Amino acid sequence: MAQQEPEQDARTLTMSRAMVEAIAFEMREDDEVFYMGEDVADYEGIFDSTTGLREEFGYDRIMDVPISETAYIGAAVGAAQAGMRPIAELMFVDFFGVGMDQIYNQMAKNTYMSGATVSVPMVLTTAVGGTYNDAAQHSQTLYGTFAHLPGMKVVVPSTAYDAKGLMHNAIRDDDPVVYMFHKRLMGIGWMPAPDGPKTGVPEGDYTIPFGSADVKREGADVTVVTLGLHVHRALEAADSLAADGIDAEVIDLRTLVPLDTETVTDSVAKTGRLVVVDEDYRSFGVTGEIVARVAEADLDDLEAVERVAVPDVPIPYARPLEDEVIPDAADVEQAIRAVHEGE
Amino acid sequence: MYENMVTARHYEERLQEEYLEGKQPAFDISAGPIPGELHLAAGHEASGAGVCQHLRDDDTVTAPHRPHHIAIAKGVDLKRMTAEIFGRETGLGTGKGGHMHLFDPDVNFACSGIIAEGCPPAVGAGLAAKKRNTDSVAVAFLGEGAIDQGGFLESLNMASVHELPVVFVIEDNDWAISMPKERITDLENGARRADGFGLRGERVDADDAVAVYEAAGEAIGRARDRNGPTLLELQVHRRMGHFMGDPETYRSESDATAAQERDSIERLEADLRAEGVDDETIEELRSRAHDRVEEAIEWAKDQPEPEPAAAHEDVFSNPPSGVTDTEPEITGHGGED
Ligand SMILES: Cc1ncc(C[n+]2csc(CCOP(=O)(O)OP(=O)(O)O)c2C)c(N)n1
């Protein structure tokens, strides 16, 4: 169990408000922190990632930039190497291709190639996820892509509490951090969120160490490992199975790099059964990685395993097609039942 | 040309109505018969119609995220395009692509929702025409917000050094979502981007369909005659929000009103009347456009939704056998001791 969340009676925030609160705090503390992206000033972020910030900090520190991901993400790398602490926003993770060289050959590798004489203290924030029928170029999750390439820390919050604590860390960290927020969790008016992500959030600053997975629900029978939106879908599945006497433990990874293998293996040592749930593509991704780590740690602990992820197809547009490929609570429930009953 | 413009305008008015269904009173992007984002092009019609009037089916067009007026003018199958937007099985992409990703190979039309990324494929179509020694041309449409992107600038250079039959068309509606043109470029005339790459650049300053038609005719003629690529910038207007549901809080009322006032359709209509086209003819064109739109929408709404299992098909044209198991059965893989 990683983090203690605040008392019930604390104020609650949406995930976007919690993120913005951390950014505003860090910007007040440190003049070197600034934010760059498309539609982040007057629009305040398409997904409410910068609400209120331009009003407080002005156009110099909340910068709208030309639509040129290579240039502005690369500029963040350069400013970070010069010692500033930029936050660059890539509006949808799907647009990464346009600026990918700056991300994975510059941002992620300069520390290593310089023998750690150069550091790149920047944050790349980006929106991920489908569930609203925006098709293949605007609905990907791509956790695996960023976690696969070495040199960047990868953060994926699922609640407002986690979002704020992880953002404080991300900005203070001396390495590049990719901060991936799921659109459906932000609490935007036009994209209703499930109940879960809106949580109590302390007023003051606090950090959540990277590499500390959180057990969002304790259980004895099956370990469910997941992240982002699917934490909430897994919790929904677990609650519905509880009525049938199946007690699932739900682990929220919270960061992919670094990955908290121990919390996962400890849980599997207890339950013996593993389900990994991901909104990213199935092959070569998070699900395979988690299963491999558990197998490497102690194959004997593992009695049954199941992966639930997007089959290896681009995200389709039409509702019945998208519903088919993005796992829902029922898919998770079925997988938990399958490993629980065994074969 | 007038008919195309009227069709596009009416089409989008109808799409807007359909889109808002199920999204009232509270706007929920995933609700209703057309979910996802919807970018309408009211105010852009002169560009699609004036340019595509010069094109044949074997000419290639790549469109950006705001494609309907261009698709209509290029002759994309209106019924199947509408079915695609409604996510139906008989849509252009069998429901897989949606409104930003319309593909009609019969008329060589394609789209991309990634800014400026339709430019390189248009260069490729021009390259194919050159290699095969045909006289077809390629046209890439993009917004003024896209003219800072590497993909566009690299395409200008490639088209220029290889003398490819490509026309780049910038639709300048003054806005890139909430970013006004002056905040993202120092260049008032986007066609000047051509200067550094050795191709012709020209701007049509008002949204005047006739002027667009003439400028596009010259550029496309030049490409067809193998006299090199052109960059055209066309002034259009954005009469609505960037996408449906955009509150436009960043935009002054006077700017929005000015966009409404400069209507290329009304202007063309006035021009036609001045040239002696009578009411009856105009009414006939309008009602034909109207009927065509209604028919397409009705047909599309009657079409079946795709079967969920179809989501697993079409990743490849030539599916590898025995390799891609897109949806393994859930069986609780595990051992008994
Ligand atoms: C590479 C990339 N970056 C950002 C976006 C998000 N986006 C979609 S439309 C748009 C504005 C485009 O403005 P413009 O090119 O002027 O076209 P308009 O929408 O005005 O027709 C942006 C930033 C995107 N789709 N692709």
Side-chain angles (χ1 to χ4, degrees):
Chain A
M1 200 53 181
Q3 230 59 43
Q4 283 308 311
E5 296 202 1
E7 303 297 305
Q8 291 284 323
D9 58 6
R11 76 200 167 120
T12 60
L13 292 184
T14 61
M15 205 167 95
S16 78
R17 289 279 161 185
M19 273 173 60
V20 169
E21 199 167 88
I23 295 166
F25 179 95
E26 296 297 331
M27 287 185 70
R28 278 177 220 126
E29 291 286 297
D30 184 353
D31 287 343
E32 304 275 12
V33 180
F34 65 99
Y35 202 105
M36 282 196 280
E38 292 156 14
D39 304 287
V40 300
D42 292 343
Y43 202 108
E44 306 191 307
I46 298 294
F47 302 108
D48 291 0
S49 52
T50 51
T51 307
L53 292 179
R54 200 249 319 136
E55 203 179 333
E56 179 175 352
F57 299 103
Y59 289 106
D60 282 346
R61 294 185 70 197
I62 303 295
M63 289 174 61
D64 272 344
V65 294
I67 307 172
S68 37
E69 285 78 4
T70 296
Y72 78 81
I73 295 173
V77 175
Q81 286 176 183
M84 296 193 77
R85 292 190 172 267
I87 305 168
E89 175 176 308
L90 175 64
M91 192 188 286
F92 289 66
V93 76
D94 312 70
F95 309 159
F96 81 95
V98 171
M100 194 57 171
D101 185 73
Q102 291 301 324
I103 298 169
Y104 93 112
N105 274 324
Q106 318 295 331
M107 181 184 97
K109 292 177 181 165
N110 286 356
T111 300
Y112 187 76
M113 295 190 298
S114 67
T117 57
V118 167
S119 69
V120 188
M122 64 175 281
V123 183
L124 180 66
T125 61
T126 190
V128 303
T131 72
Y132 63 111
N133 309 93
D134 218 16
Q137 295 178 340
H138 287 74
S139 305
Q140 295 173 106
T141 303
L142 303 182
Y143 297 142
T145 303
F146 291 84
H148 177 67
L149 298 163
M152 39 196 161
K153 296 171 182 170
V154 179
V155 175
V156 182
S158 72
T159 66
Y161 178 85
D162 290 352
K164 181 173 172 182
L166 291 167
M167 181 60 85
H168 279 297
N169 276 36
I171 298 171
R172 293 173 195 180
D173 200 293
D174 285 336
D175 285 316
V177 176
V178 181
Y179 187 104
M180 307 173 85
F181 56 85
H182 199 292
K183 299 155 204 164
R184 181 60 76 199
L185 298 178
M186 292 291 270
I188 317 161
W190 46 277
M191 206 187 287
D195 288 338
K198 195 170 179 186
T199 61
V201 177
E203 308 260 356
D205 64 313
Y206 60 95
T207 57
I208 295 173
F210 289 166
S212 60
D214 189 32
V215 179
K216 289 277 195 282
R217 181 187 198 282
E218 288 192 58
D221 298 336
V222 176
T223 298
V224 182
V225 177
T226 186
L227 69 172
L229 173 68
H230 281 75
V231 169
H232 304 283
R233 297 199 161 174
L235 288 170
E236 194 187 326
D239 283 347
S240 114
L241 286 166
D244 291 353
I246 301 175
D247 189 17
E249 178 144 301
V250 177
I251 296 177
D252 177 357
L253 291 172
R254 298 201 293 199
T255 65
L256 285 172
V257 181
L259 186 69
D260 178 0
T261 309
E262 203 182 319
T263 297
V264 175
T265 51
D266 285 354
S267 175
V268 175
K270 176 174 74 174
T271 64
R273 295 161 196 280
L274 173 65
V275 172
V276 192
V277 184
D278 185 13
E279 194 181 327
D280 199 354
Y281 306 117
R282 183 170 202 265
S283 297
F284 311 103
V286 172
T287 57
E289 183 62 33
I290 298 297
V291 174
R293 293 216 189 187
V294 170
E296 283 168 346
D298 195 343
L299 199 49
D300 290 342
D301 283 342
L302 205 53
E303 286 167 45
V305 64
E306 194 62 66
R307 299 199 263 163
V308 183
V310 175
D312 300 326
V313 304
I315 311 296
Y317 169 73
R319 195 174 280 127
L321 302 180
E322 198 202 47
D323 287 348
E324 167 74 9
V325 304
I326 297 185
D328 59 14
D331 295 320
V332 180
E333 198 179 313
Q334 194 192 349
I336 296 173
R337 276 186 200 284
V339 293
H340 185 255
E341 281 149 25
E343 280 294 305
Chain B
M1 184 160 75
Y2 176 74
E3 190 173 345
N4 269 331
M5 290 168 70
V6 175
T7 307
R9 176 70 57 86
H10 184 58
Y11 186 69
E12 297 217 317
E13 285 166 357
R14 289 289 289 113
L15 279 190
Q16 181 180 3
E17 278 171 32
E18 297 287 340
Y19 186 79
L20 289 176
E21 201 179 297
K23 294 189 177 67
Q24 311 281 19
F27 187 81
D28 169 359
I29 193 169
S30 49
I34 308 178
E37 287 176 86
L38 186 67
H39 309 83
L40 297 179
H44 282 226
E45 293 89 350
S47 124
V51 172
C52 294
Q53 197 70 24
H54 301 281
L55 299 178
R56 311 184 306 231
D57 286 356
D58 64 326
D59 295 326
T60 295
V61 163
T62 62
H65 56 287
R66 200 180 297 287
H68 307 145
H69 62 301
I70 306 168
I72 287 170
K74 181 67 170 75
V76 168
D77 187 317
L78 193 63
K79 287 182 172 170
R80 296 193 55 216
M81 161 171 153
T82 312
E84 185 61 30
I85 294 167
F86 280 90
R88 303 303 162 109
E89 191 179 17
T90 47
L92 289 171
T94 70
K96 294 199 169 80
H99 116 97
M100 277 188 278
H101 319 102
L102 302 167
F103 295 84
D104 189 347
D106 291 346
V107 295
N108 291 297
F109 181 88
C111 277
S112 172
I114 310 293
I115 294 304
E117 293 299 294
C119 295
V123 168
L127 184 63
K130 183 180 176 188
K131 284 185 181 295
R132 291 172 172 161
N133 205 17
T134 70
D135 72 343
S136 62
V137 304
V139 180
F141 285 84
L142 61 153
E144 90 293 338
I147 67 172
D148 307 306
Q149 258 319 11
F152 165 62
L153 298 167
E154 293 175 30
S155 294
L156 288 182
N157 188 55
M158 175 104 178
S160 181
V161 295
H162 286 279
E163 295 178 354
L164 301 176
V166 184
V167 178
F168 300 91
V169 177
I170 302 166
E171 298 188 301
D172 175 11
N173 66 7
D174 302 316
W175 291 94
I177 311 188
S178 70
M179 302 191 290
K181 189 175 182 183
E182 65 271 14
R183 204 183 303 150
I184 53 177
T185 169
D186 282 336
L187 209 58
E188 237 173 78
N189 176 355
R192 298 276 315 273
R193 282 276 190 275
D195 296 354
F197 297 101
L199 69 164
R200 266 170 213 265
E202 206 182 317
R203 179 178 158 88
V204 178
D205 232 340
D207 28 358
D208 170 357
V210 176
V212 167
Y213 174 80
E214 283 166 2
E218 267 179 47
I220 291 165
R222 206 157 35 234
R224 234 188 259 302
D225 298 341
R226 294 287 182 74
N227 290 323
T230 306
L231 171 60
L232 275 184
E233 179 167 86
L234 310 177
Q235 179 74 59
V236 294
H237 277 92
R238 200 181 90 190
R239 294 165 68 89
M240 318 176 66
H242 170 74
F243 38 35
M244 293 294 303
D246 177 358
E248 284 200 289
T249 44
Y250 51 82
R251 191 177 189 183
S252 75
E253 214 160 296
S254 60
D255 184 87
T257 321
Q260 298 277 349
E261 278 163 4
R262 295 182 58 168
D263 187 0
S264 60
I265 296 185
E266 282 171 20
R267 180 165 174 171
L268 180 60
E269 196 173 309
D271 287 351
L272 290 173
R273 287 182 198 279
E275 277 175 29
V277 179
D278 58 20
D279 283 355
E280 206 181 315
T281 314
I282 296 218
E283 197 38 53
E284 200 185 300
L285 291 174
R286 279 186 171 276
S287 90
R288 203 159 63 198
H290 187 274
D291 292 350
R292 204 175 144 224
V293 168
E294 293 307 323
E295 199 190 334
I297 290 187
E298 238 165 80
W299 183 82
K301 283 165 70 175
D302 260 1
Q303 298 301 299
E305 294 200 299
E307 291 298 326
H312 304 275
E313 297 164 2
D314 301 333
V315 179
F316 299 103
S317 297
N318 173 25
S321 58
V323 179
T324 313
D325 187 7
T326 70
E327 199 196 32
E329 224 179 300
I330 290 181
T331 53
H333 306 282
E336 275 159 84
D337 291 323

